[in-house]
Amino acid sequence: MRDPNSGIFLTIEGIEGVGKSTAVQFIQEYLTQKNKKFIITREPGGTEIAEKIREILLTPNSEEKITPDTELLLMFASRSQHIHHVILPALKAGKWVVSDRFVDASYAYQGGGRQLDMKFLQQLDEQIVHSLKPNATILLDASPEIGLARAKHRGPQDRIEQEKVDFFERVRTGYLARASKEPKRFHVIDATKPVESVQNEIKTILDGLNDA
C-alpha cells in the first residue's frame, strides 16, 4: 500500500499535437472533483529560472543556433530547478504533482530525436534526477503526421515544432521504447481516438492511482 501522506507524481508525455494540454485540463478537473491537493507544472519550465530557460529553448533561432548538446544541458539545468523548487516540496507535502513532460522527454527528444549519446544522457539523469521517478506516466501516442497537422492550427511554431517529420518519428520511437522497458509505469493511449475515449482511459488510470 502507498503511504496516504505521500504525494503522487504523474507525468504526461507525447509528441506535439497529441492533446497533452487537453489531458492535463481533464486531470485538473478530476483532482478538483476528488478534493485532492495538487499542482500542475511543466517542462521545460515550472520555476522562474526554468521558464527563462524554456524561452531560450523554444524561441526560433536567429543567427546563433543552439547545438544539440546545449539543448540537452539546458533541459537538465531547467529540470534541476524544477525538481528542487517545485516537485520535491510538493510531493513531501503530500500533493499530487502533474507535470507536462519530465525526464522521459529528454530520452525521446534529445536521445531519440537528436540522436545524442544515451550513456551521457543517463549520466545526467543519475546526477540530476537521482531516484525520482513518476508513479505513472501517460504517453499519448499518435503518428507525427497527425500530431504536427494538429499543432499547426495552434499558431506560430516554436523551435522544436519546426523540426521535420523524421525527427518526430525518432522521438515517437524513443517514447515507445521507453514505454516497452517500463510497462508498469507507462500507460500508452492512442491519441487518435475521440477525446471522450481518451479521457475515459485517463480516468481509469487516475482511479487506480487514487485507490493505490
Side-chain angles (χ1 to χ4, degrees):
M1 292 289 289
R2 179 182 60 82
D3 181 355
N5 296 316
S6 65
I8 292 178
F9 187 18
L10 173 65
T11 56
I12 318 299
E13 299 282 358
I15 64 170
E16 276 63 22
V18 293
K20 288 189 294 86
S21 297
T22 302
V24 169
Q25 182 178 355
F26 175 77
I27 294 168
Q28 182 173 348
E29 291 170 356
Y30 173 96
L31 294 176
T32 299
Q33 291 174 356
K34 296 291 185 179
N35 294 315
K36 298 294 182 182
K37 293 181 179 179
F38 67 92
I39 63 166
I40 304 292
T41 188
R42 66 179 183 178
E43 285 204 352
T47 76
E48 182 180 356
I49 290 174
E51 288 292 333
K52 290 178 180 177
I53 295 174
R54 178 187 178 90
E55 184 177 353
I56 294 171
L57 284 165
L58 298 187
T59 299
N61 302 143
S62 52
E63 293 182 2
E64 182 182 357
K65 305 298 182 185
I66 295 178
T67 70
D69 283 338
T70 298
E71 180 180 282
L72 176 64
L73 292 170
L74 285 174
M75 286 290 186
F76 272 94
S78 169
R79 184 164 295 130
S80 179
Q81 293 296 113
H82 193 210
I83 289 170
H84 290 284
H85 293 286
V86 175
I87 297 174
L88 290 181
L91 290 175
K92 289 177 181 177
K95 298 179 181 178
W96 284 60
V97 175
V98 180
S99 183
D100 182 343
R101 299 196 196 285
F102 190 55
V103 73
D104 294 303
S106 288
Y107 282 95
Y109 278 81
Q110 286 74 52
R114 302 292 184 209
Q115 298 179 298
L116 294 178
D117 182 11
M118 283 293 188
K119 287 185 179 179
F120 179 50
L121 207 159
Q122 288 169 355
Q123 289 174 343
L124 287 172
D125 186 356
E126 292 169 4
Q127 183 66 32
I128 303 300
V129 183
H130 299 292
S131 61
L132 177 62
K133 226 173 213 190
N135 295 91
T137 296
I138 295 173
L139 174 58
L140 298 171
D141 180 56
S143 72
E145 289 82 5
I146 291 175
L148 293 176
R150 290 176 177 175
K152 284 182 179 178
H153 296 295
R154 299 189 306 214
Q157 295 179 308
D158 63 36
R159 189 179 67 86
I160 304 294
E161 290 171 341
Q162 291 177 358
E163 289 292 340
K164 299 188 184 318
V165 172
D166 61 343
F167 171 82
F168 290 104
E169 287 283 5
R170 294 193 299 272
V171 173
R172 183 192 186 194
T173 299
Y175 268 132
L176 292 174
R178 295 282 290 173
S180 67
K181 288 181 180 178
E182 296 188 60
K184 291 185 178 180
R185 174 166 70 90
F186 272 88
H187 301 268
V188 182
I189 296 177
D190 182 353
T192 65
K193 291 181 179 179
V195 174
E196 184 177 342
S197 176
V198 171
Q199 290 179 343
N200 283 337
E201 289 191 49
I202 293 174
K203 182 180 182 301
T204 298
I205 295 165
L206 296 175
D207 287 341
L209 288 170
N210 197 32
D211 295 336

